[in-house]
Amino acid sequence: TKSADNVQIYKDVVRNVAKKHDKVANFMPKPIFDEKNPEKGDNGSGMHVSISLWTKSSSKNANLFYDENDDYAELSQTGRYFIGGILDHAQSLAAIVNPTVNSYKRIIPGFEAPVYIAWARGNRSAVVRVPVNEKGNIKSKRIEFRAPDPSANPYLAFSAIVAAGMDGITKMKEHGNPVHADSYKMTDSKRKRIGIVVLQDHVEES
């Protein structure tokens, strides 16, 4: 709740500062988009959400996503299950973290948008990234869910993301191997062969 409050306060401050300078602050996911030439234009505006899971005790606090013995990203099995939950629920989460028509103008290949349901350390075409900023730093270990955009209601979005990740932990969801190659440049057949699914790119009409 506190994190969601901070998002709302941040937006309000930015809008008011902009107004004082006779400007308008825009939090659209894709403010610059050409319907006729979608490959042109500029990157969209994401609201990447960083998550870590901590346990508190009388003796110490522990980051449950951190494992100093993991050679790949110092990521624990708990963290991997959490990723598995997010990947498993990614299509459903889209309804909450990408709630507007404009949201899907952003989720197109070639603009550093998370188009593919996959994970890795530094792959910006994947929907989940595991930052490796400082080795051996338990405080910095987190996962980054890159699908959300600023049009989302942060109170709903943050709750849904945590629920999806916790479901992954409960069910011990496997998350598959990390994808290091640029998924934008892969052929459809190669993506299908290694199990990469495309994130939903439109809003269903009812």
Side-chain angles (χ1 to χ4, degrees):
T1 301
K2 183 178 179 181
S3 294
D5 285 344
N6 289 339
V7 171
Q8 297 299 80
I9 292 169
Y10 170 81
K11 288 183 177 181
D12 193 52
V13 169
V14 170
R15 287 191 181 107
N16 279 283
V17 170
K19 187 176 181 180
K20 287 183 179 180
H21 295 276
D22 296 320
K23 305 292 182 182
V24 176
N26 190 318
F27 291 96
M28 289 177 67
K30 191 73 170 182
I32 302 174
F33 182 77
D34 188 337
E35 291 278 1
K36 296 182 179 179
N37 300 289
E39 71 280 358
K40 295 182 179 180
D42 203 352
N43 293 347
S45 299
M47 186 178 72
H48 301 169
V49 177
S50 293
I51 310 115
S52 58
L53 185 64
W54 292 75
T55 182
K56 293 184 178 181
S57 66
S58 57
S59 57
K60 64 177 181 178
N61 297 340
N63 185 344
L64 298 182
F65 287 175
Y66 178 75
D67 181 358
E68 63 181 359
N69 297 315
D70 178 56
D71 294 332
Y72 179 69
E74 294 185 322
L75 180 67
S76 70
Q77 185 61 58
T78 298
R80 291 170 188 271
Y81 286 146
F82 194 96
I83 290 174
I86 290 181
L87 298 183
D88 190 50
H89 291 287
Q91 300 288 26
S92 299
L93 284 170
I96 297 173
V97 304
N98 309 115
T100 67
V101 171
N102 189 255
S103 298
Y104 298 91
K105 308 296 184 183
R106 167 182 168 250
I107 304 175
I108 55 176
F111 291 91
E112 294 191 3
V115 179
Y116 301 106
I117 300 177
W119 78 285
R121 284 186 305 200
N123 191 341
R124 296 187 183 277
S125 64
V127 76
V128 172
R129 190 169 74 95
V130 182
V132 182
N133 300 321
E134 186 179 348
K135 192 171 182 179
N137 187 343
I138 187 173
K139 293 182 179 180
S140 70
K141 183 48 56 189
R142 66 191 190 279
I143 69 167
E144 180 185 82
F145 185 38
R146 306 182 67 251
D149 67 53
S151 69
N153 178 325
Y155 298 95
L156 294 177
F158 296 169
S159 299
I161 292 165
V162 171
M166 294 304 291
D167 185 60
I169 293 174
T170 300
K171 296 178 180 177
M172 295 188 286
K173 283 284 183 180
E174 293 298 333
H175 57 309
N177 294 324
V179 177
H180 300 114
D182 188 341
S183 302
Y184 298 140
K185 298 178 181 180
M186 290 183 188
T187 62
D188 290 342
S189 59
K190 183 175 182 179
R191 281 194 291 267
K192 185 176 181 180
R193 187 170 65 251
I194 61 179
I196 297 177
V197 179
V198 178
L199 186 68
Q200 182 170 305
D201 62 356
H202 65 282
V203 178
E204 293 286 352
E205 295 182 1
S206 59

